[in-house]
Amino acid sequence: MADKAHDPRQGPNQEPDPAGTVPDAAPRPPTAIVGIGGSAGALDGYERFFLGLPPESGVAFVVVPHLDPRHRGLMPELLQRCTALPVESITDGLQVQGDRVYVLPPGQALSIMNGTLLLEPLGGPEGGQGQVIDRFFGALAADQGRRAVGVVLSGMGSDGTAGIQSIKEHFGLVFVQDPRTAEYPMMPRSAVATQLANSVLPPEELAAQLYALITRSQVSVVEQLDAEGQAGAPMQKILRLVRMRTGHDFTQYQRSTLVRRIDRRMKAHRLEDVSQYIRVLQDSPDEVNALFRDFTINVTSFFRDAEAFDELKDQLRQYILTVKQDVDQFRVWVAGCATGEEAYSVAIALHELMAELRKVRIFKVQIFATDIDKEALERARYGLYPADIAYVISAERLQRFFQLKDDGYQVRPEIRDSVVFALHSTFGDPPFTRLDLLCCRNMLIYLGAPLQRQILTIFHYALQPGGLLFLGSSETCGPERDRFVPLNSRWKIYRRGEGLSGPLPLPLSSEQGGLSAPAESSLPPPPRTARSNDVGQQAQRLLLAQYTPPAVVVNAAGDILYVNGRTGRYLELPPGKVLVNIFEMVQEDLRYELPAAIRQASAERAETVRRNLRLTVGGGPVLLDLTVRPMGQAAQFLILFQEHGEFPEQADAPEQSDRIKALERELQHSKELLQTTAEQMGVSLEELKSTNEELQTTNEELQSSNEELTTSKEELQSLNEELVTINAEHQRIIHDLAQAHDDMKNLLESAGIATVFLGNDLRIKRFTPRITRVINLMPVDVGRPITDISVNLNYEHLTRDIARVIDTLETYEAQVQTQDEQWYLMRISPYRTSDNFIDGVVLAFTNINVVKALETQVRESLEYAEAVLNSMQDPLLVLDSQLRIITANRAFYDLMYLSPAQIQAEPMYTIANFAFDQPELQGRLRDLVTTDEVVSNYIIDLKVP
């Protein structure tokens, strides 16, 4: 005990404080605030967490359990048993201090502002209902930022899932209990599914991991990653490994963001040296993927900033009414869509506008949602989200645009079909074009200035004139602001300016503004006149137009993706609805040759050439070579049109012969098409048969599962009834135990006996108030060894006597005196449990001051009587009713040459060699006893020495 010398209970040798009290330590602000959420019924997780927590971390812990507001909370008392930190119930306005545990009381919701805990009524306008953990985690993230830590332990439901997303968004840490070790795994399982947790471990290991990550200094890591200016710098090595594994370059991201993410991964592996982490990346592809997922920062939610979406709807309504025509397509690009919440939010807003404006405008919606994280896109495509989205989406929207599935909400097909999710790099892949709306929220803040300029140039190119740009609340157009007109400065909604856009910028390499060349990021952008008048680009365009044959790029369906040169001689727009499909636009003479060539190139994955095709162009015949060339691995084809000049006229070629040849070619193409169709029909038929069999099997499995679910439902109902009964029994037992506890407390206090209960390890378990007169005990001493407490006794063998009782199981009694001269009867007895187990000892001290006073009085009376007897000169002998000697005076001892020890309690006739063994004397003395007749003047003869 380091503070033992300063404990006021240590006895008279203590040197007290001059003021008479021990001064409290100054309040210490916490290095971090840890929010712990879970079920109040799963105490095992809390106990294991705090028992595994190292001392003096400087961290404050705020426990936010699910509590029944109708019952008194016992969490502070229960947690105090498993931690040396002070545990207290939260009161409104409590300032958070380090190395303390704060517990939320029942019936309250919790928030925090400037490090001050604020209580709110549960279910009130700000208190929320059923989401106390989410609310506190969100407030903690907003108030503490990187110093916020969220811990999700065992519990029911999904409370805490949305909260840890807020903590990660503010660069905090998240720890989740391994669901396999949880009594109620639903909350940990929901949190793990977000893939945002820094660690998923059992509670006792979580505490050690949390302590290691929080107390570890980040300065060394930042200094190691700060070694720039050379190709072998640690940061460059890490980013090169990520690029080699994933194909994505992060050199243009904000440096502080990259440092935080790398440091977080190093903490997860408990590494101090960056070189060690580089070796881990080189040996573990999974770690590279994990670092890549941390770089992408997949944190989003439905209708984030609800006011911003309301303003966006107003701007979209005005745009549709003024710009779009009936049956137009409304094209949207959501860049960096993560798990899809924002893309679906935009889709819902547009569908609401479709229903609102259906009487004045009819339009179609096509949304392209892109991201570089394949796993996040898979979740977005599935469109299934946890049930707690009901807290941020109105009930009307939930009913209209979502359907319940697997304890969550899935986006309805009409919304899902309007969104196309694609793996796409915003600044590395070609952009989507002719857009009416482009959403890129909270992505630019993670990018460097050169890359921001490049992306905003891409956005300007992708949007059609007058299109809308929707950025995050912390983002602006920066140096490109003259290209965009602000519509709402608060929520960052812009309109693309009129005029042509410049050419697409080339992707920046790491040497052109990456981390190895920081000076270039500060240079101003080159003037736009230089871009528009670039001599090299003009020369390239002239050469391509003059010497390259007309060509188009199409996909497998025939949709035109790119056009080079003048293709109007071979393609023409058909009447009616505008199409961009080459099969519909190709001239009649190539109607059969072009599809056949594309089919052959697709089947053989090789270049196909149809030579010397006769084509009528401009009223005259020409010879044409048609070339179809597959492009890369994608289902795209490059089609080249190369003329050989006019077809030579042949006088001897009758017109009928040309007609027959044309019919033969058409017949041949029809046969090929029929053969291909027949083969595809055969394959489709086999696939349909196989699918039908699988559907039948699936149907049978579903029927079996339905029966099992019905049985399980009945079992759960029965189990629920049993749980209700058990709960009622537990309530009764708790009431009986509380009554017994009160009875025992009153009994011990009314008995007036100072009692203390000790365990086998001599630690104090309980004591009565009167014990303070004997031992200096205070309520906080429960759990401390009795040997550490000052004992107010003039007795040195207390510990020895207690140990002897524990060893021999025999009760020991002794009279002891306190330092203020009070006498007590000390009784040490074994403590036996109901199953006859020895679980310590009971020390009882009974005040015997009255008995001691009477004992002293009797002793003094005996001494006085003895002095009176000894003052008499004649020998005197005092007998009892059995003629046994009680005492004698000194004259008798001198006469008979005897000592008090020789005659004490002896029969009279046996002493002095039977000198008093005279029958007549004994007869007279017995008559005296029975008749009370005095015997006097009786002379006897004695033989004395």
Side-chain angles (χ1 to χ4, degrees):
M1 301 284 294
D3 298 329
K4 186 173 181 179
H6 301 285
D7 193 332
R9 298 165 286 167
Q10 295 301 320
N13 295 328
Q14 153 104 26
E15 293 184 5
D17 187 276
T21 60
V22 177
D24 295 335
R28 181 172 60 168
T31 58
I33 299 180
V34 180
I36 305 175
S39 172
L43 291 174
D44 178 67
Y46 294 102
E47 293 176 352
R48 290 163 60 190
F49 178 87
F50 283 105
L51 288 174
L53 184 69
E56 297 182 359
S57 62
V59 178
F61 299 88
V62 182
V63 180
V64 186
H66 287 159
L67 295 170
D68 189 344
R70 297 170 296 179
H71 294 83
R72 183 173 68 91
L74 299 176
M75 286 289 288
E77 292 83 359
L78 297 174
L79 293 181
Q80 188 64 78
R81 301 183 308 178
C82 50
T83 178
L85 301 177
V87 181
E88 59 182 299
S89 183
I90 297 174
T91 57
D92 193 24
L94 184 64
Q95 185 70 30
V96 178
Q97 300 180 22
D99 288 327
R100 289 181 179 270
V101 181
Y102 302 94
V103 182
L104 177 67
Q108 300 286 331
L110 183 63
S111 182
I112 185 171
M113 180 176 292
N114 298 327
T116 301
L117 298 174
L118 305 174
L119 291 179
E120 299 160 353
L122 188 64
E126 296 295 329
Q129 181 66 39
Q131 51 172 343
V132 290
I133 301 175
D134 277 335
R135 172 162 180 78
F136 177 70
F137 280 2
L140 179 64
D143 186 65
Q144 297 295 316
R146 296 181 60 190
R147 299 195 312 131
V149 181
V151 178
V152 178
L153 299 179
S154 173
M156 300 294 290
S158 60
D159 195 9
T161 301
I164 64 175
Q165 293 180 357
S166 299
I167 291 177
K168 293 294 285 188
E169 188 173 356
H170 288 80
F171 309 107
L173 299 175
V174 172
F175 299 88
V176 181
Q177 179 180 357
D178 189 342
R180 294 172 295 182
T181 67
E183 186 176 357
Y184 305 107
M186 292 184 63
M187 273 178 55
R189 189 177 296 136
S190 176
V192 170
T194 63
Q195 299 182 349
L196 299 177
N198 292 84
S199 296
V200 181
L201 296 169
E204 61 274 14
E205 298 181 24
L206 276 183
Q209 178 82 337
L210 182 148
Y211 178 85
L213 293 185
I214 292 179
T215 57
R216 174 179 172 271
S217 174
Q218 187 182 346
V219 176
S220 60
V221 177
V222 175
E223 292 176 350
Q224 295 177 62
L225 293 174
D226 228 358
E228 297 186 8
Q230 52 182 339
M235 177 69 81
Q236 294 291 348
K237 290 182 179 179
I238 293 174
L239 297 182
R240 189 178 298 114
L241 289 171
V242 174
R243 183 174 56 189
M244 292 172 58
R245 174 69 181 173
T246 65
H248 296 286
D249 186 6
F250 289 93
T251 55
Q252 300 299 317
Y253 274 51
Q254 287 279 4
R255 177 174 180 79
S256 58
T257 300
L258 299 176
V259 170
R260 282 195 299 267
R261 298 298 168 177
I262 294 173
D263 180 64
R264 181 171 301 173
R265 296 304 306 171
M266 291 179 61
K267 288 178 179 178
H269 289 279
R270 301 182 182 180
L271 298 177
E272 298 286 343
D273 191 355
V274 175
S275 61
Q276 295 177 349
Y277 183 62
I278 293 176
R279 286 195 292 270
V280 172
L281 290 174
Q282 292 170 340
D283 299 335
S284 174
D286 291 339
E287 177 58 26
V288 178
N289 293 332
L291 181 60
F292 167 74
R293 286 193 296 271
D294 267 13
F295 281 168
T296 55
I297 314 175
N298 292 321
V299 178
T300 184
S301 63
F302 283 98
F303 295 99
R304 182 164 49 177
D305 299 328
E307 295 182 20
F309 272 90
D310 293 339
E311 180 64 26
L312 177 65
K313 280 188 66 175
D314 294 338
Q315 298 294 341
L316 288 175
R317 184 184 297 107
Q318 182 178 357
Y319 175 84
I320 292 170
L321 293 176
T322 56
V323 177
K324 306 303 289 183
Q325 302 297 323
D326 275 345
V327 199
D328 277 356
Q329 189 178 61
F330 194 95
R331 292 168 59 86
V332 182
W333 180 16
V334 180
C337 68
T339 50
E341 286 92 333
E342 187 165 295
Y344 288 129
S345 299
V346 174
I348 289 172
L350 286 172
H351 277 75
E352 290 175 343
L353 286 175
M354 289 174 64
E356 178 184 340
L357 304 176
R358 63 179 179 271
K359 294 183 179 180
V360 293
R361 287 288 188 276
I362 297 176
F363 59 94
K364 298 180 181 179
V365 174
Q366 181 65 71
I367 300 175
F368 302 98
T370 63
D371 202 280
I372 60 175
D373 191 341
K374 184 181 296 184
E375 294 183 6
L377 286 175
E378 290 298 327
R379 294 182 58 195
R381 289 191 180 102
Y382 194 48
L384 180 62
Y385 299 96
D388 56 9
I389 66 172
Y391 299 132
V392 295
I393 301 179
S394 64
E396 179 184 357
R397 281 175 171 166
L398 278 177
Q399 183 177 4
R400 181 178 174 186
F401 300 110
F402 295 85
Q403 55 190 4
L404 282 171
K405 183 178 181 181
D406 298 337
D407 297 330
Y409 290 96
Q410 187 168 36
V411 179
R412 290 189 180 274
E414 57 267 24
I415 300 297
R416 174 63 186 88
D417 293 343
S418 62
V419 184
V420 176
F421 292 98
L423 192 65
H424 179 278
S425 174
T426 306
F427 52 88
D429 295 327
F432 299 90
T433 57
R434 298 182 292 109
L435 300 174
D436 298 292
L437 172 64
L438 200 156
C439 297
C440 181
R441 308 192 69 208
N442 299 322
M443 186 182 80
L444 297 179
I445 57 176
Y446 302 114
L447 309 180
L451 189 55
Q452 288 185 14
R453 290 198 299 267
Q454 175 183 334
I455 289 181
L456 287 170
T457 301
I458 293 174
F459 289 171
H460 187 269
Y461 178 88
L463 283 167
Q464 65 179 1
L468 302 181
L469 176 64
F470 187 26
L471 300 180
S473 58
S474 301
E475 299 168 331
T476 63
C477 290
E480 303 293 326
R481 54 184 174 269
D482 56 335
R483 293 188 171 192
F484 298 93
V485 179
L487 300 179
N488 188 296
S489 300
R490 179 186 179 188
W491 298 117
K492 304 303 186 292
I493 302 176
Y494 299 89
R495 184 180 72 241
R496 181 198 186 277
E498 300 294 334
L500 297 176
S501 60
L504 282 176
L506 295 176
L508 290 173
S509 63
S510 59
E511 292 79 7
Q512 288 178 306
L515 295 172
S516 59
E520 187 173 340
S521 62
S522 61
L523 297 177
R528 294 187 180 84
T529 56
R531 290 202 301 262
S532 60
N533 297 325
D534 187 88
V535 176
Q537 291 185 7
Q538 288 187 7
Q540 277 189 340
R541 286 197 294 270
L542 289 174
L543 290 172
L544 290 175
Q546 186 71 23
Y547 297 103
T548 302
V552 294
V553 178
V554 300
N555 58 18
D559 296 329
I560 297 176
L561 306 178
Y562 181 78
V563 178
N564 179 72
R566 299 180 179 275
T567 59
R569 293 165 60 86
Y570 321 107
L571 307 176
E572 61 181 7
L573 292 175
K577 184 178 179 180
V578 177
L579 299 173
V580 289
N581 190 282
I582 196 170
F583 298 140
E584 302 292 338
M585 299 175 63
V586 70
Q587 287 195 16
E588 189 68 26
D589 294 335
L590 299 177
R591 183 73 65 183
Y592 303 104
E593 295 289 349
L594 180 60
I598 292 178
R599 285 196 300 270
Q600 182 180 351
S602 176
E604 299 175 358
R605 299 304 300 171
E607 181 180 293
T608 300
V609 181
R610 299 296 175 95
R611 300 186 183 276
N612 298 325
L613 300 178
R614 183 173 180 179
L615 182 66
T616 302
V617 177
V622 295
L623 287 179
L624 176 71
D625 285 350
L626 179 65
T627 303
V628 179
R629 182 179 302 161
M631 295 180 60
Q633 299 296 326
Q636 296 178 353
F637 305 92
L638 176 65
I639 303 174
L640 300 173
F641 303 92
Q642 193 164 10
E643 297 182 10
H644 295 301
E646 294 185 355
F647 189 83
E649 295 186 1
Q650 298 180 2
D652 57 346
E655 192 174 316
Q656 184 68 20
S657 175
D658 293 342
R659 178 63 176 169
I660 291 173
K661 290 181 179 180
L663 292 174
E664 287 177 351
R665 286 198 304 271
E666 183 177 347
L667 179 60
Q668 180 64 28
H669 294 318
S670 299
K671 287 181 178 180
E672 294 176 0
L673 181 60
L674 181 61
Q675 179 66 24
T676 303
T677 304
E679 294 174 356
Q680 293 177 351
M681 285 289 292
V683 174
S684 299
L685 184 60
E686 292 297 328
E687 293 178 352
L688 286 174
K689 289 181 180 179
S690 176
T691 304
N692 186 42
E693 294 174 356
E694 293 176 358
L695 287 175
Q696 290 178 353
T697 304
T698 303
N699 187 37
E700 293 175 358
E701 293 176 354
L702 288 175
Q703 289 179 352
S704 175
S705 300
N706 187 38
E707 295 174 357
E708 294 176 0
L709 287 175
T710 303
T711 305
S712 300
K713 180 181 178 182
E714 296 174 355
E715 294 176 354
L716 287 174
Q717 289 177 346
S718 175
L719 180 62
N720 186 44
E721 295 174 357
E722 294 176 3
L723 288 176
V724 172
T725 304
I726 293 173
N727 185 49
E729 294 177 356
H730 285 172
Q731 292 291 340
R732 180 179 55 80
I733 293 173
I734 291 173
H735 179 269
D736 294 343
L737 287 175
Q739 184 67 39
H741 177 269
D742 295 340
D743 294 344
M744 180 180 178
K745 181 180 179 182
N746 284 278
L747 175 63
L748 292 175
E749 293 180 356
S750 62
I753 300 176
T755 309
V756 59
F757 298 86
L758 305 177
N760 288 326
D761 54 356
L762 303 188
R763 292 185 180 274
I764 300 169
K765 298 194 294 185
R766 184 192 296 271
F767 58 86
T768 60
R770 291 179 181 267
I771 196 65
T772 55
R773 302 177 183 177
V774 181
I775 304 175
N776 298 325
L777 289 180
M778 298 175 64
V780 296
D781 291 325
V782 174
R784 292 181 60 185
I786 190 69
T787 54
D788 292 348
I789 307 300
S790 175
V791 180
N792 189 24
L793 292 174
N794 296 324
Y795 188 70
E796 300 178 353
H797 307 300
L798 177 62
T799 305
R800 183 200 64 187
D801 295 341
I802 294 173
R804 181 173 62 184
V805 171
I806 293 176
D807 292 338
T808 63
L809 305 182
E810 295 180 357
T811 302
Y812 176 78
E813 290 185 355
Q815 295 181 3
V816 294
Q817 188 181 29
T818 62
Q819 295 176 358
D820 55 358
E821 298 182 352
Q822 296 290 318
W823 281 95
Y824 288 87
L825 175 63
M826 179 182 69
R827 180 182 177 89
I828 307 175
S829 305
Y831 183 97
R832 297 180 183 271
T833 62
S834 58
D835 53 355
N836 200 28
F837 176 75
I838 303 301
D839 192 23
V841 297
V842 181
L843 270 71
F845 294 86
T846 305
N847 192 296
I848 56 173
N849 279 333
V850 176
V851 176
K852 277 293 183 180
L854 292 175
E855 182 181 335
T856 302
Q857 185 177 354
V858 170
R859 185 171 58 253
E860 292 175 351
S861 299
L862 289 176
E863 292 174 353
Y864 177 76
E866 183 178 358
V868 172
L869 291 176
N870 290 332
S871 65
M872 298 177 65
Q873 299 298 322
D874 295 329
L876 180 65
L877 189 65
V878 181
L879 306 176
D880 61 9
S881 61
Q882 301 296 327
L883 302 183
R884 293 180 181 276
I885 299 174
I886 297 176
T887 187
N889 64 355
R890 186 177 296 110
F892 180 81
Y893 294 138
D894 294 341
L895 175 66
M896 305 302 296
Y897 285 90
L898 294 174
S899 64
Q902 291 176 315
I903 67 174
Q904 188 74 28
E906 292 290 333
M908 182 186 67
Y909 63 86
T910 62
I911 65 173
N913 294 324
F914 299 94
F916 294 95
D917 189 9
Q918 300 179 19
E920 183 179 358
L921 174 61
Q922 294 182 18
R924 282 181 172 272
L925 292 177
R926 290 191 179 93
D927 293 340
L928 172 65
V929 173
T930 57
T931 62
D932 291 336
E933 293 182 1
V934 177
V935 179
S936 63
N937 298 325
Y938 178 70
I939 300 174
I940 60 174
D941 293 329
L942 292 177
K943 294 180 180 180
V944 297

